[in-house]
Amino acid sequence: MSAEAFAMTDTAAPGLGALAGRRILIIVENLPSPFDRRVWQEAGALRDAGAAVTIICPTGKGYEARFERLDGIEIHRHPLPPDGVGPIGYLIEYGAALFWETILAWRVFFSRGFDVIQACNPPDLIFLVALPFKLLGRKFVFDHHDINPELFEAKFGRRGPFYHLLMLLERLTFALADISIATNESYRKIAIERGRMKPQDVFVVRSGPDLRRLKPVPPGPRWRNGRRFLVGYVGVMGEQEGVDLLLEAVGALVSRGRSDIQFCIVGGGPSLESLRKRCARQGLDPYVTFTGRAPDADLFEILSTADVCVNPDRVNAMNDKSTMNKILEYMAFGKPIVQFELTEGRVSAGESSLYARANDPIDLADKIAALLASPATRERMGAIGVTRVAEDLSWAHQVPKLLAAYGRLFSR
């Protein structure tokens, strides 16, 4: 039985009752709460089901308070050094995270207490924090956000000893987990085959958009910079996200005389400054707006204004198996999409997207131009995306699956 099918059985109903009076500690290392939208949505769903929810996470811009109680959820934040670069940088970053996560987990244990630790990777090291509590009878849930061995290979273009170490850490995390939550079927397959988990203990809970929060707003002409069309991108500015390939596509369109298209690139990340410099070197500054990390008001206005949205994620083992939140957000706003051919990208978007040849910026440019030339096609594809999200992929459809996972956890 699949995780989806299991979620639709009677186990889903006990999941709700099982959380009344339960105490759940969520640990996430790479983003602060409530900025990490998936973690915050999970925490809210668990709280609504009756659980007392605590989160341990890092501080971040706009989230500097070391302790906060927000919407009934307690948040303990800790400092982190800058994002690691290379093995030494990662060792420092992850070592600091483990130190603070351990200190704060024991603090929560002796104050509010918890019955479950839900670990949200990356990295696959949080099982070390959970291990002593597992020996004390607490349960361990692995919320599998990223496939770290593939992420390492995508970043550094090789495998080697560190890759195999990451495989070992992933295996140990699965071995300690009572249940695992996967973001899609590709991750579920990894949990079963590589992690050796029982199929009935692995649940697919997608990172669906919350349609109560993501709502179109009136378009903002300022984002078009006086041009006819706007193409939008929302996401992290990192090496594997392929924004450099998007800039090559922009260059190809400009070289064809397309001065009627503005590109708006939203998001922060380690490669933001280098991408800005690259854009300037290519002479594309007039056609590209980098907003950095944007507040929701700007993000929603940009998505509401865009004629087409793009996902230039490189085709590699990591991206091929991963579901990108931006795809579902584009669909929620009714935007036609252009992306490279990726397995999970196609599973999510279906016919609401055109698919360019792998890592080919010229074909990406061709697909963007084709969509801009056909308003009827854009409207049809946008409507397909809205329907798919509303009927299947939104967060409202994921909550019963999350509760079914916890129902299974507490029924064991």
Side-chain angles (χ1 to χ4, degrees):
M1 180 184 294
S2 71
E4 276 88 348
F6 192 81
M8 299 306 292
T9 68
D10 289 341
T11 306
L16 179 60
L19 299 189
R22 298 290 187 178
R23 302 163 301 170
I24 299 170
L25 172 61
I26 300 175
I27 302 178
V28 56
E29 190 269 333
N30 63 332
L31 288 172
S33 287
F35 180 77
D36 188 319
R37 194 53 58 180
R38 175 185 172 88
V39 171
W40 191 245
Q41 289 179 168
E42 288 176 322
L46 297 171
R47 174 208 57 207
D48 292 345
V53 181
T54 307
I55 299 175
I56 294 174
C57 65
T59 55
K61 185 177 181 180
Y63 304 96
E64 290 85 2
R66 297 291 290 271
F67 176 80
E68 186 174 9
R69 186 176 178 85
L70 187 61
D71 297 338
I73 297 167
E74 292 191 359
I75 307 172
H76 296 260
R77 300 191 185 100
H78 59 81
L80 269 187
D83 289 341
V85 178
I88 300 300
Y90 284 118
L91 182 64
I92 294 171
E93 177 188 346
Y94 294 155
L98 282 175
F99 170 80
W100 283 111
E101 288 161 3
T102 301
I103 294 294
L104 293 173
W106 282 106
R107 180 179 297 174
V108 174
F109 180 78
F110 285 117
S111 56
R112 198 181 199 193
F114 53 82
D115 306 302
V116 183
I117 289 180
Q118 177 176 318
C120 307
N121 81 334
D124 292 331
L125 290 170
I126 302 175
F127 78 94
L128 294 171
V129 180
L131 181 58
F133 300 105
K134 190 78 185 288
L135 297 175
L136 293 173
R138 283 10 179 215
K139 296 181 182 294
F140 180 56
V141 174
F142 179 34
D143 190 6
H144 193 192
H145 294 189
D146 283 325
I147 39 178
N148 287 307
E150 284 83 356
L151 178 58
F152 174 83
E153 187 176 9
K155 280 189 172 184
F156 300 105
R158 65 179 188 276
R159 291 190 173 186
F162 201 74
Y163 171 90
H164 294 291
L165 174 61
L166 291 173
M167 290 283 282
L168 174 62
L169 294 173
E170 178 189 83
R171 175 72 188 93
L172 292 173
T173 299
F174 280 122
L176 193 69
D178 295 287
I179 64 166
S180 177
I181 299 172
T183 57
N184 58 40
E185 288 293 344
S186 293
Y187 278 33
R188 183 171 188 266
K189 183 177 180 181
I190 287 173
I192 295 168
E193 295 182 355
R194 206 158 77 190
R196 304 175 194 172
M197 294 203 71
K198 296 178 181 178
Q200 63 267 32
D201 291 332
V202 186
F203 292 77
V204 174
V205 179
R206 296 183 179 275
S207 298
D210 185 345
L211 298 184
R212 298 170 301 178
R213 186 183 74 90
L214 267 66
K215 294 181 179 179
V217 300
R222 62 186 174 123
W223 301 108
R224 295 183 183 274
N225 196 26
R227 306 187 197 281
R228 181 181 178 187
F229 297 112
L230 179 67
V231 175
Y233 167 85
V234 177
V236 176
M237 303 295 143
E239 293 179 10
Q240 67 269 19
E241 277 73 25
V243 180
D244 58 321
L245 297 177
L246 175 58
L247 291 178
E248 290 187 39
V250 175
L253 289 166
V254 170
S255 70
R256 300 173 191 174
R258 293 301 302 260
S259 60
D260 58 342
I261 310 171
Q262 186 72 21
F263 290 78
C264 193
I265 299 178
V266 182
S271 299
L272 177 58
E273 289 308 315
S274 64
L275 287 166
R276 280 176 167 155
K277 292 175 182 177
R278 179 177 184 139
C279 182
R281 286 197 305 271
Q282 292 178 244
L284 300 176
D285 272 352
Y287 305 96
V288 180
T289 303
F290 286 94
T291 68
R293 184 181 290 180
D296 282 352
D298 286 350
L299 171 62
F300 295 171
E301 189 174 73
I302 291 165
L303 289 177
S304 297
T305 307
D307 299 287
V308 171
C309 287
V310 290
N311 173 33
D313 286 334
R314 278 184 163 76
V315 176
N316 55 43
M318 165 70 182
N319 291 336
D320 189 61
K321 295 179 176 66
S322 299
T323 298
M324 304 304 173
N325 293 345
K326 54 182 169 279
I327 293 294
L328 301 178
E329 292 176 356
Y330 298 161
M331 294 165 66
F333 277 84
K335 301 302 169 181
I337 303 164
V338 178
Q339 60 181 315
F340 296 124
E341 182 67 67
L342 294 161
T343 297
E344 288 295 338
R346 184 177 282 275
V347 168
S348 295
E351 294 182 9
S352 69
S353 177
L354 296 183
Y355 301 90
R357 289 188 297 270
N359 304 332
D360 184 343
I362 303 304
D363 198 34
L364 190 71
D366 291 343
K367 296 294 193 296
I368 292 170
L371 273 183
L372 293 178
S374 178
T377 301
R378 297 201 304 272
E379 184 175 356
R380 177 183 62 81
M381 292 171 62
I384 290 171
V386 168
T387 300
R388 282 180 57 77
V389 169
E391 295 183 353
D392 185 41
L393 299 175
S394 72
W395 180 246
H397 295 288
Q398 309 312 311
V399 172
K401 301 170 186 178
L402 176 65
L403 299 184
Y406 271 88
R408 168 69 177 171
L409 177 72
F410 288 119
S411 69
R412 292 184 53 168

